[in-house]
Amino acid sequence: VFFQYFGTKYSGVMETSNDQSMVGVQNYLEKAAQNLKPVVPIKFHISSRTDTGVHALCNSAHLDIQRAPGKPAFSEKQLVYSLNYHLKPEPIRILNAYRVTNSFHARFSALSRTYIYRLLVGCSHYSEIPVFERDLCWAPVGGYLNVPAMQDAAQFLLGTHDFSTFRSLNSETPLQSPVRTILQADIRPSSGFLSQHYEHRGLEFWELKFRGRSFLYRQVRRMVGALVAVGQGKLTPHHIKELLEIKDSRAFPSNAMAPPSGLFLKSVEY
């Protein structure tokens, strides 16, 4: 299944234990799936982890459904409608469902993942962010960004590198290789929600797009934060190359990580 969610109120996509104040998207997906009355509880195996406050235009998961003997298998359409019916109050939607072979795995069969990060330029104070854009972009303080310098800096991230400096440490760090391949790193003008109705405000939206097979913990938010620091003149494009070469997460500039609100998992490619 492919699904999307507005991530602000969730602790991320992965399930959490019930005693936590914020709950994972997976908890709601599996709760909705229990209403299909399966013989065995349905487990969602999710392709791409997203953090607290991060959104997904399209994430994916695989699941097995065992119905009572004599009951026909769900059609793809039935499954989408039924799950969405039980997800109703939540900002989570199943987009499509496809029958796949037993060897398919949502996480390990993925060829690449694409993330976009939305920046808003032209606000001198956070109170100037349009109310419709709240939690859906990052407006770095100070207004103006030197986008051509950011575009130059982004080129250093392309290709295969040890991204140790660009990952936050977590429990999986010792088990994971820091080497990743970035296939695409673009920065392009973008549109804001209903922004044609407030053109007089002179706000600019930019979209940073990253595509790779997989990403390290908080890698995209750190890459965005470093590129914004280049745009603000705090770093030069060449500093990005130097940060890669240092290969040490402690060398990352303090407070430079982009907030989760502007980050969207755009797609998972198979």
Side-chain angles (χ1 to χ4, degrees):
V1 295
F2 289 100
F3 60 101
Q4 63 181 198
Y5 46 91
F6 189 117
T8 304
K9 60 176 276 197
Y10 304 114
S11 67
V13 72
M14 305 309 280
E15 70 182 321
T16 52
S17 55
N18 292 332
D19 53 0
Q20 284 181 252
S21 58
M22 284 176 93
V23 180
V25 172
Q26 186 178 357
N27 295 60
Y28 292 98
L29 291 170
E30 290 178 358
K31 192 173 157 193
Q34 280 315 106
N35 291 294
L36 305 175
K37 301 192 168 49
V39 175
V40 181
I42 292 173
K43 183 116 185 92
F44 278 69
H45 300 271
I46 294 171
S47 90
S48 310
R49 290 184 170 210
T50 58
D51 272 354
T52 304
V54 174
H55 318 287
L57 293 167
C58 188
N59 201 339
S60 58
H62 75 264
L63 50 140
D64 296 306
I65 304 176
Q66 203 178 325
R67 299 197 76 189
K71 290 243 172 152
F74 287 109
S75 74
E76 291 155 348
K77 206 172 243 182
Q78 268 179 327
L79 190 63
V80 172
Y81 288 156
S82 311
L83 288 172
N84 280 337
Y85 176 79
H86 294 293
L87 284 164
K88 232 186 227 158
E90 296 299 319
I92 304 170
R93 282 294 163 274
I94 307 291
L95 302 168
N96 306 93
Y98 299 96
R99 203 173 296 283
V100 288
T101 61
N102 271 345
S103 60
F104 177 87
H105 193 288
R107 186 171 160 201
F108 303 119
S109 303
L111 299 175
S112 66
R113 294 162 172 84
T114 303
Y115 284 88
I116 59 168
Y117 196 98
R118 299 182 66 242
L119 289 177
L120 169 56
V121 178
C123 295
S124 55
H125 189 263
Y126 73 88
S127 63
E128 294 176 9
I129 298 170
V131 70
F132 304 106
E133 289 286 353
R134 210 179 61 192
D135 299 327
L136 293 171
C137 64
W138 175 29
V141 182
Y144 170 80
L145 290 176
N146 180 346
V147 176
M150 292 168 67
Q151 289 166 327
D152 290 346
Q155 299 311 299
F156 289 114
L157 297 168
L158 285 170
T160 304
H161 305 282
D162 180 322
F163 279 97
S164 292
T165 309
F166 288 89
R167 70 162 161 194
S168 294
L169 304 178
N170 69 355
S171 58
E172 288 185 9
T173 304
L175 313 169
Q176 269 187 338
S177 161
V179 176
R180 291 291 184 271
T181 302
I182 301 289
L183 302 166
Q184 184 179 9
D186 291 340
I187 304 173
R188 293 184 184 165
S190 171
S191 56
F193 182 66
L194 297 173
S195 59
Q196 70 273 26
H197 296 291
Y198 50 84
E199 276 170 352
H200 62 280
R201 292 190 56 193
L203 301 177
E204 284 178 20
F205 289 89
W206 291 87
E207 223 165 75
L208 288 75
K209 187 182 198 179
F210 300 96
R211 186 166 63 89
R213 174 96 200 262
S214 61
F215 293 86
L216 298 166
Y217 181 51
R218 293 187 175 160
Q219 182 185 344
V220 176
R221 286 170 58 193
R222 282 186 165 220
M223 292 191 300
V224 170
L227 292 175
V228 165
V230 169
Q232 293 170 325
K234 294 175 182 172
L235 298 177
T236 66
H238 212 262
H239 274 127
I240 301 298
K241 186 171 187 280
E242 288 171 9
L243 286 172
L244 279 170
E245 288 166 356
I246 293 168
K247 301 175 188 172
D248 182 355
S249 64
R250 291 166 302 187
F252 189 76
S254 60
N255 306 322
M257 185 166 69
S261 54
L263 183 57
F264 295 74
L265 172 61
K266 181 183 186 281
S267 54
V268 184
E269 294 82 35
Y270 291 101

